[in-house]
Amino acid sequence: MPIEPTKSIWMNGELIPWEEAQIHVLTHTLHYGTGIFEGIRAYETSEGPAIFRLAEHMDRLINSAKILDIPMPYTSEELQEAAKEVVRDSGLASCYVRPIAYYGYGEMGLATTDCEVDVAIACWPWGAYLGEDAATKGVRMKISSWVRHDHNIMPPASKTTGNYANSTLAKMEALRAGYDEAIMLNKEGLVAECSGENLFVCRNGKIMTPPLVSGALEGITQHTVMSFVKDLGHEVTFEALARSDLYTADEIFVVGTAAEVSAVNSVDDRPVPCPGPITQQVASLYADTVRGKNPNYSHWCEVV
Ligand code: PPE
């Protein structure tokens, strides 16, 4: 998906022109994959552009830093203000927001003791991640031959740049085989998540999603959707899931900031009813809520 440039990028405390936001080829994190990042969306609301669950995203960035032992030069609150500044400055009504913290230029070698930490926040327009009809027609999923990270190899709880080499391997394998997205199992063979989304399975009247211990990111959209499901009067639980739970599901949907709520129409060529009733209700609640049209959750929309 080609990037559409916007006016400016926030780098280490100030807004600079988009094309000046450059880094050196010997930037430490480029070599070792030790950066941490976030993916956030801003939507058009009646009050103007608003960033969805901004505080939760910046708090997770701070947690990623704790896990990777990266000394963050800014607080979550400072980064929230900076993100609002970037979106405001872009003049866009809606956009994707990408904060990243990384070890900069100046040191080489694996020890990060003397490395400086740089932080940047960019925003640009980003359309539907899994295709325009992902919420209605659904996407084709393939269980990946690549295994999700283990907690003692690359902690899946942190959005570490290096973790995404694993996601890219899975995504490309799925695309080359003619599927839309990959589902990843952990080293015990249980369902973890997708290359860039969490997953929900409805089966025998139960709505379930794999927990962090299964190797899933603690998704903010996952949390949002769990609230919706409870509001609709259903129970929703974190569960360890086997691949057979996917093949016999009544409904499956995947969720993430970029992918929003996308329906699944098949797993490994076994059809899944799509879009199911829960998927449709959740997708419509999500579409309204992020645009400030759900009074129960207007506090999740941070006007810039
Ligand atoms: N799992 C993974 C591995 C993941 O990358 C994401 C977000 C999620 C779950 C859902 O998390 P949340 O956004 O908090 O609901 N993936 C981001 C990156 C996409 C990209 O291609 O880059 C995103 O959705 O912004």
Side-chain angles (χ1 to χ4, degrees):
M1 286 176 250
I3 298 174
E4 216 178 289
T6 53
K7 210 171 117 204
S8 54
I9 291 181
W10 184 94
M11 264 184 117
N12 297 325
E14 53 174 353
L15 283 178
I16 59 170
W18 175 279
E19 48 301 330
E20 282 173 28
Q22 309 273 357
I23 56 162
H24 197 275
V25 73
L26 293 181
T27 296
H28 197 274
T29 284
L30 180 62
H31 296 251
Y32 305 118
T34 45
I36 48 169
F37 70 102
E38 270 303 317
I40 319 177
R41 274 189 193 272
Y43 292 88
E44 187 168 8
T45 73
S46 58
E47 320 260 293
I51 307 180
F52 192 64
R53 306 204 69 178
L54 174 62
E56 290 85 346
H57 280 282
M58 290 307 188
D59 289 350
R60 188 172 65 187
L61 186 71
I62 299 293
N63 281 340
S64 292
K66 285 184 190 162
I67 295 168
L68 269 271
D69 200 16
I70 296 174
M72 279 295 273
Y74 302 98
T75 62
S76 173
E77 290 72 23
E78 286 167 337
L79 294 168
Q80 291 168 40
E81 275 314 307
K84 286 159 74 172
E85 207 182 324
V86 175
V87 173
R88 221 166 24 236
D89 185 70
S90 75
L92 293 169
S94 62
C95 58
Y96 188 76
V97 185
R98 168 57 55 84
I100 183 165
Y102 55 97
Y103 291 115
Y105 170 83
E107 293 284 327
M108 266 299 160
L110 295 179
T112 55
T113 327
D114 297 320
C115 290
E116 64 170 46
V117 177
D118 290 326
V119 185
I121 307 175
C123 78
W124 66 89
W126 207 1
Y129 188 70
L130 292 176
E132 289 299 336
D133 10 301
T136 47
K137 293 198 181 138
V139 291
R140 295 181 67 214
M141 308 294 278
K142 180 191 190 312
I143 294 183
S144 188
S145 73
W146 295 100
V147 172
R148 199 56 165 160
H149 295 295
D150 178 73
H151 295 281
N152 299 312
I153 299 176
M154 290 287 275
S158 166
K159 262 182 98 73
T160 310
T161 57
N163 281 5
Y164 284 79
N166 176 247
S167 283
T168 294
L169 286 169
K171 180 81 185 184
M172 289 312 296
E173 178 188 65
L175 291 181
R176 288 219 175 90
Y179 299 85
D180 299 307
E181 175 58 309
I183 295 175
M184 307 196 64
L185 309 180
N186 63 24
K187 91 180 191 311
E188 280 73 45
L190 300 173
V191 179
E193 59 178 343
C194 311
S195 78
E197 304 87 25
N198 290 105
L199 173 138
F200 283 84
V201 173
C202 311
R203 185 169 178 268
N204 294 339
K206 287 173 81 178
I207 305 171
M208 303 165 285
T209 185
L212 167 68
V213 287
S214 287
L217 182 73
E218 280 182 305
I220 290 161
T221 319
Q222 181 189 46
H223 179 272
T224 301
V225 162
M226 288 176 96
S227 305
F228 294 162
V229 171
K230 285 180 204 153
D231 292 348
L232 290 168
H234 305 289
E235 216 183 300
V236 55
T237 49
F238 285 108
E239 298 286 346
L241 296 173
R243 68 193 288 170
S244 53
D245 288 314
L246 306 177
Y247 297 151
T248 58
D250 301 317
E251 263 181 75
I252 300 177
F253 53 93
V254 299
V255 307
T257 299
E260 303 177 306
V261 177
S262 299
V264 169
N265 60 38
S266 65
V267 178
D268 292 344
D269 301 304
R270 291 152 173 88
V272 176
C274 170
I278 305 286
T279 309
Q280 283 176 298
Q281 291 175 80
V282 165
S284 134
L285 274 170
Y286 191 76
D288 282 348
T289 305
V290 293
R291 290 172 183 81
K293 294 180 195 161
N294 184 343
N296 294 340
Y297 298 111
S298 47
H299 58 280
W300 280 345
C301 304
E302 183 69 30
V303 176
V304 306

